[in-house]
Amino acid sequence: EMSEMSERSKQNVAHGLAWSYYVGYLKIVLPRVKKSMEEFSRSSPNVLACRQTWKLHILVPLSCDIYDDLEKADSNIQYLTDLSETTLTRAGTKKRVYKHSLYAIRDENNKLWHCAVEYATPLQSLYAMSQDECAAFSREDRLEQAKLFYRTLEEILKGSKECVGTYRLIAYEESGEAETHFLSRNILWHLRQQRHEEYAVYEGNQPHNPSTTLSSTELNLQISESDLPQPLRSDCF
């Protein structure tokens, strides 16, 4: 009976997607990220100067609107190269390849910042469900599930010893107004914050969090305390 109720209210969608994403992908690739960064840094020491940013930056747009090509999403984001591949045999597929792309992010002063960045791919499933009549998945359902996906994934990763210090979740709500460099601006804020964290002992201050970048505290306030995954409130957004 509980299972049927959860299924009808779509409470298990985001919870399952977050766990699948972690177990089937992040738990495999994240422990290898720093090694890939280190290998690249040996050949290009000036590109990845800030070790604090040697992480996989995972974009979590609450709209679930994902671009396959980041360069088309924002012209200030330019593909640089791929990091070294990880090849594993998984679920019957021989030599399955896992890899990450390194991008150059141009700021307002034409300075280039470099990082590995990609979207959280399960959000594509949430978006596709909201476009498919068979799923009976509304835009409001999608927003609630996107928030729950982020919150669940954050909790999973916080409890993962293998993934400590290997990732940066970037959750954001897109501005209602058309903004050409919205995405690069949000990524840059996180890169700058990490640089401040690296030198926090000397600087003693923290950058201001832009209103479009969502903090864990904001999302914490919108999730139920129940053990059963619950949809998040959407009236706060």
Side-chain angles (χ1 to χ4, degrees):
E1 211 172 294
M2 286 292 292
S3 177
E4 287 180 5
M5 288 174 61
S6 296
E7 191 66 31
R8 282 198 298 270
S9 60
K10 305 177 182 68
Q11 292 171 352
N12 290 332
V13 175
H15 190 257
L17 284 174
W19 271 104
S20 177
Y21 184 47
Y22 168 69
V23 174
Y25 179 65
L26 295 181
K27 192 176 181 181
I28 298 169
V29 302
L30 287 181
R32 298 171 170 82
V33 166
K34 285 190 182 296
K35 182 180 178 182
S36 296
M37 294 281 194
E38 191 170 351
E39 290 174 358
F40 178 83
S41 183
R42 282 198 291 265
S43 59
S44 305
N46 295 326
V47 174
L48 297 174
C50 179
R51 296 182 69 92
Q52 194 67 21
T53 62
W54 290 14
K55 301 171 183 175
L56 180 62
H57 296 75
I58 303 170
L59 302 175
V60 186
L62 296 185
S63 67
C64 300
D65 193 8
I66 289 177
Y67 286 81
D68 288 327
D69 190 339
L70 279 170
E71 293 173 307
K72 291 181 179 178
D74 190 321
S75 60
N76 277 350
I77 303 174
Q78 295 296 319
Y79 168 77
L80 185 63
T81 188
D82 289 331
L83 296 174
S84 59
E85 300 176 349
T86 295
T87 304
L88 299 172
T89 296
R90 293 278 296 175
T93 301
K94 296 287 187 180
K95 298 180 180 179
R96 177 168 290 180
V97 175
Y98 299 87
K99 66 179 181 180
H100 310 292
S101 295
L102 197 64
Y103 287 87
I105 318 295
R106 187 178 302 276
D107 68 13
E108 61 278 5
N109 299 314
N110 280 328
K111 177 184 175 181
L112 295 178
W113 300 64
H114 300 89
C115 69
V117 59
E118 61 188 49
Y119 283 103
T121 51
L123 294 178
Q124 287 182 312
S125 297
L126 288 178
Y127 188 85
M129 287 177 69
S130 70
Q131 302 297 307
D132 194 319
E133 292 182 4
C134 296
F137 202 74
S138 69
R139 182 182 179 278
E140 290 72 23
D141 290 329
R142 186 181 74 201
L143 177 60
E144 291 174 351
Q145 293 303 307
K147 296 176 191 174
L148 182 55
F149 171 83
Y150 170 79
R151 188 69 186 90
T152 304
L153 183 62
E154 183 184 48
E155 288 300 316
I156 293 170
L157 288 170
K158 278 183 178 179
S160 173
K161 294 180 181 178
E162 302 98 324
C163 299
V164 172
T166 63
Y167 67 91
R168 182 88 171 191
L169 295 179
I170 304 178
Y172 58 90
E173 183 180 28
E174 283 133 326
S175 171
E177 300 177 1
E179 191 175 340
T180 307
H181 302 302
F182 174 86
L183 185 56
S184 61
R185 184 169 60 83
N186 275 274
I187 297 172
L188 284 167
W189 181 86
H190 280 269
L191 294 176
R192 285 169 173 146
Q193 188 187 47
Q194 289 171 89
R195 179 161 291 186
H196 274 260
E197 289 168 358
E198 186 170 26
Y199 300 106
V201 175
Y202 305 100
E203 297 185 359
N205 57 17
Q206 292 295 328
H208 174 66
N209 188 353
S211 59
T212 51
T213 299
L214 304 178
S215 67
S216 301
T217 305
E218 289 175 305
L219 288 178
N220 278 339
L221 295 176
Q222 300 172 65
I223 190 165
S224 169
E225 295 291 317
S226 169
D227 290 335
L228 181 68
Q230 299 288 329
L232 297 171
R233 292 175 56 196
S234 60
D235 56 345
C236 297
F237 284 76

